[in-house]
Amino acid sequence: MGKLSKVWRKLPVPAQYICKSIGIKKMGLVVYKDACKRRLLKKYLNSTDPEKAKVARYVKENGLEIIPYDFCKKYDCHNIKVYRDTDGYPFVIHNGKKMYGRKDDSDDFFAYYYSYTLMEQDPESPHCYVTDNSRIPHDGCIIAELGAAEGMFGLDYIEKAKKVYLFECSEKWHEPLRRTFAPWIEKIEIVPYFVGTGGNKDNTIQLDEFFKNREVTIVKADIERAELAMLRGGGRNIFQEDSASLYLYIP
């Protein structure tokens, strides 16, 4: 897919519009997914590794999915009710609390987004943050949620937390986060930076620098392959070997 993407980006914009209008891009994605499925089945369907064989069987029966397990079928976006504030911001009721989406999200998209987020945190999911009951955030914890997006992790533990730092570089998520956490506004701080090794350069901040005069006991990081840079940026202080009281959640 990388080669196809490079070719697509090199096309003049008018050519891209033409390809979209006649469905060439969609056809290309279908062909690519079908080729990926065939390669996956050929390599893993008869694997001696039970986990790989199980995933291959799922793909054979259900097609390619980001999380290819039977438990995913529990999460049907059509069963999710999306509401709207008077000014158009969508929200769902998550464990008795309002959780907001971006204003330009359609109801169908936000329902799908929410169902997929729930699916990721199913105990059977490889993406689940908290799989060990002994590591459930405790009363008085201080959470840094890196890559907060809708802020579901922080929302799940906001009543236990003393403070929640919501690191989210996309401005489109800032107003939804403010609305979601309005009942606990004194507990939260939205941090509009990427997290990495670059200090305060290029809209990127180091955890060591940010928490120089602040406490933190839980770091949840879902930051699109920037995890290593994040660890390096917290290596002098946050992630020292003697930080026994710090919990780190990385999917």
Side-chain angles (χ1 to χ4, degrees), residues 2-72:
K3 292 181 180 179
L4 290 175
S5 296
K6 289 178 182 178
V7 172
W8 175 261
R9 287 194 294 269
K10 288 180 180 179
L11 287 175
V13 172
Q16 291 183 6
Y17 282 132
I18 293 171
C19 290
K20 287 180 179 179
S21 67
I22 61 178
I24 288 179
K25 187 177 181 181
K26 286 185 178 180
M27 286 189 289
L29 288 173
V30 170
V31 170
Y32 173 73
K33 288 179 68 175
D34 188 57
C36 288
K37 179 180 176 179
R38 289 199 307 270
R39 290 201 301 269
L40 187 149
L41 294 180
K42 181 178 180 181
K43 187 170 183 178
Y44 296 115
L45 191 58
N46 297 312
S47 174
T48 56
D49 184 317
E51 179 72 9
K52 293 177 181 178
K54 179 181 178 181
V55 168
R57 288 194 297 272
Y58 180 92
V59 170
K60 182 180 180 181
E61 295 172 6
N62 301 278
L64 287 175
E65 301 286 351
I66 296 176
I67 302 179
Y69 296 94
D70 284 325
F71 76 83
C72 298

Side-chain angles (χ1 to χ4, degrees), residues 138-146 161-167 187 189 191 207-219 237-238 243 245-247:
H138 54 79
D139 290 341
C141 60
I142 301 172
I143 298 172
E145 184 170 7
L146 315 184
K162 178 181 178 181
K163 183 78 174 182
V164 177
Y165 295 98
L166 299 160
F167 288 76
K187 284 188 175 188
E189 180 177 338
V191 186
L207 288 184
D208 274 343
E209 182 65 26
F210 184 84
F211 287 105
K212 188 174 182 179
N213 298 307
R214 297 178 176 95
E215 293 181 85
V216 62
T217 57
I218 292 171
V219 176
N237 181 25
I238 301 299
S243 300
S245 61
L246 178 74
Y247 287 167

Side-chain angles (χ1 to χ4, degrees), residues 94-114:
H94 174 68
N95 294 335
K97 308 180 186 80
K98 288 184 177 181
M99 189 176 79
Y100 282 84
R102 295 161 297 191
K103 190 172 185 178
D104 54 357
D105 289 342
S106 69
D107 287 6
D108 287 346
F109 175 84
F110 191 50
Y112 171 79
Y113 179 94
Y114 177 57

Side-chain angles (χ1 to χ4, degrees), residues 145-164:
E145 184 170 7
L146 315 184
E150 79 297 324
M152 193 168 84
F153 182 85
L155 185 62
D156 281 339
Y157 301 108
I158 188 64
E159 290 166 336
K160 290 184 175 184
K162 178 181 178 181
K163 183 78 174 182
V164 177

Side-chain angles (χ1 to χ4, degrees), residues 225-237:
R225 296 176 293 180
E227 287 80 5
L228 184 57
M230 176 268 295
L231 292 170
R232 288 171 177 162
R236 296 194 314 274
N237 181 25

